[in-house]
Amino acid sequence: MNKITEYSLWEVLEQIKSSLKSKRLADVFRFTSFYPSETYGPHKHMRIEINYVKKGNCILHIDKESINFHEGDIMIISPNVEHLFEAGVNGTILMQLEFLPEIFSHLHSNIRIDTEAMPTPSFLFSKENRLIKIVNNINVIRTVQCIINELEHKGSHYQYLVVMYYAELLIFLYRYMHETYLSICTNDLLRKAICYIQHNYQTDINVNDIAGHASISERYLRKLFSQNLNLSPLDYLNQIRINKSIELLKNTEKSVKEVCFLCGFQSPQYFSRIFKQQIGLSPREIAKSQSPLF
């Protein structure tokens, strides 16, 4: 990397940092505990809110909908969305990060992407995507943890590193939305079915459950998936499960059997067969021994 490129990078980072209101890189960055069944809210705010469930379970209430979150899940709440948090019966420990959306907006406007065009942050965190639930995504968890660590310890030039971590986080979120096809899905019924799969793939759901949630027939559900994604609903469900299983196999010490059940497969034999069909390798060939993140 030559000096001009290096200078340009620092210049961009300084411009983003300096343009933030009150120079705030985050308003909330912490681990926090909730008592059993403790509630917080309802409330709403201008910030993007990211919560990682480190321990226990909880429920997020938005309008008339209640969404369950378990250990390892991530909730991302868009700005100005009223929500009520309720801890589980055994309490909950969250890793929390809240920041103004201007950070992502400045990243998008200051950094030029020459390859694939990326949607604007306002699209990603819109009323349509008021709540994003992510399950077992090691990359997002690790990046949020890095942001919190830097903000807590404030090492030399930490502000620049935090801005770069925010850029990394934004890319991982774009990737997640792209992989789940939500960003290209214009059919409301298909979007509803996809959201249901993404929120429940780790459980024993089937095509009938998916069709029922979208209030359509199984036949019409298959037609929607075939026309829009060139996949069957089951193929899409298995693709999501396999993608998540790869993350766990590469980044944790969980066994193949543990990953199998965490990702919604009911049989290790079926898991291995589908895995090899999609990846060309067995789960054991993909797995790496590595210490857990947290």
Side-chain angles (χ1 to χ4, degrees):
M1 182 179 291
N2 57 43
K3 289 185 178 180
I4 294 177
T5 303
E6 289 178 338
Y7 178 77
S8 298
L9 172 62
W10 292 117
E11 188 176 48
V12 168
L13 293 175
E14 178 61 32
Q15 183 176 347
I16 294 172
K17 180 179 74 70
S18 300
S19 60
L20 299 175
K21 294 177 182 177
S22 303
K23 305 295 189 294
R24 290 184 297 177
L25 289 167
D27 293 279
V28 176
F29 48 96
R30 64 188 179 189
F31 282 89
T32 185
S33 300
F34 292 88
Y35 296 112
S37 302
E38 181 180 357
T39 61
Y40 185 78
H43 69 288
K44 62 180 178 180
H45 41 68
M46 292 290 294
R47 303 183 297 273
I48 295 172
E49 180 176 342
I50 301 179
N51 295 319
Y52 163 67
V53 184
K54 179 174 171 59
K55 189 174 181 180
N57 68 291
C58 56
I59 304 171
L60 194 70
H61 304 278
I62 296 181
D63 291 336
K64 297 179 180 179
E65 189 175 5
S66 298
I67 303 95
N68 290 293
F69 291 85
H70 302 276
E71 188 172 318
D73 293 352
I74 303 165
M75 66 182 82
I76 303 178
I77 307 167
S78 291
N80 297 311
V81 173
E82 186 169 282
H83 53 282
L84 169 67
F85 175 85
E86 179 183 353
V89 294
N90 296 314
T92 311
I93 298 177
L94 296 181
M95 179 173 70
Q96 295 183 307
L97 176 65
E98 296 182 20
F99 54 93
L100 292 173
E102 62 169 332
I103 294 176
F104 281 166
S105 299
H106 287 311
L107 283 169
H108 192 274
S109 60
N110 282 280
I111 298 177
R112 300 285 178 251
I113 304 296
D114 294 328
T115 54
E116 183 180 359
M118 298 172 71
T120 62
S122 60
F123 175 85
L124 185 63
F125 302 102
S126 62
K127 181 181 289 186
E128 197 170 36
N129 296 323
R130 59 185 182 173
L131 173 67
I132 302 172
K133 179 178 179 180
I134 304 178
V135 180
N136 290 328
N137 191 302
I138 303 300
N139 291 325
V140 173
I141 297 171
R142 180 189 287 119
T143 305
V144 171
Q145 175 75 84
C146 287
I147 292 172
I148 292 174
N149 287 344
E150 288 298 324
L151 290 171
E152 285 181 338
H153 297 111
K154 293 181 170 59
S156 178
H157 304 300
Y158 76 95
Q159 301 100 325
Y160 300 133
L161 196 53
V162 169
V163 171
M164 293 176 73
Y165 280 133
Y166 273 123
E168 182 177 283
L169 177 61
L170 184 59
I171 291 172
F172 282 137
L173 293 179
Y174 280 143
R175 180 183 293 176
Y176 167 81
M177 298 299 280
H178 177 74
E179 288 176 350
T180 59
Y181 298 101
L182 292 177
S183 59
I184 62 172
C185 179
T186 57
N187 184 289
D188 289 340
L189 293 174
L190 180 58
R191 174 179 282 272
K192 193 172 184 180
I194 287 174
C195 284
Y196 179 77
I197 292 173
Q198 188 60 38
H199 291 177
N200 297 278
Y201 74 86
Q202 73 276 26
T203 65
D204 187 20
I205 60 173
N206 55 40
V207 175
N208 182 60
D209 296 326
I210 301 166
H213 181 78
S215 301
I216 56 178
S217 68
E218 289 186 34
R219 181 178 180 182
Y220 187 54
L221 179 71
R222 291 190 176 93
K223 181 179 179 181
L224 285 176
F225 271 82
S226 177
Q227 289 180 340
N228 290 273
L229 306 178
N230 198 29
L231 290 170
S232 72
L234 181 58
D235 286 340
Y236 176 78
L237 172 60
N238 282 336
Q239 180 173 300
I240 293 297
R241 286 172 168 170
I242 293 300
N243 287 344
K244 300 305 178 183
S245 71
I246 291 173
E247 289 182 7
L248 291 176
L249 290 168
K250 283 187 172 183
N251 294 288
T252 73
E253 291 183 328
K254 296 184 185 300
S255 68
V256 171
K257 187 175 182 180
E258 286 176 310
V259 170
C260 163
F261 293 118
L262 278 172
C263 294
F265 289 100
Q266 302 303 304
S267 161
Q269 292 77 22
Y270 179 69
F271 168 53
S272 295
R273 180 162 61 86
I274 297 300
F275 194 100
K276 195 155 190 176
Q277 283 178 359
Q278 290 198 16
I279 307 302
L281 299 170
S282 71
R284 295 189 186 281
E285 290 174 299
I286 291 290
K288 294 180 180 178
S289 178
Q290 185 172 318
S291 298
L293 289 174
F294 311 113

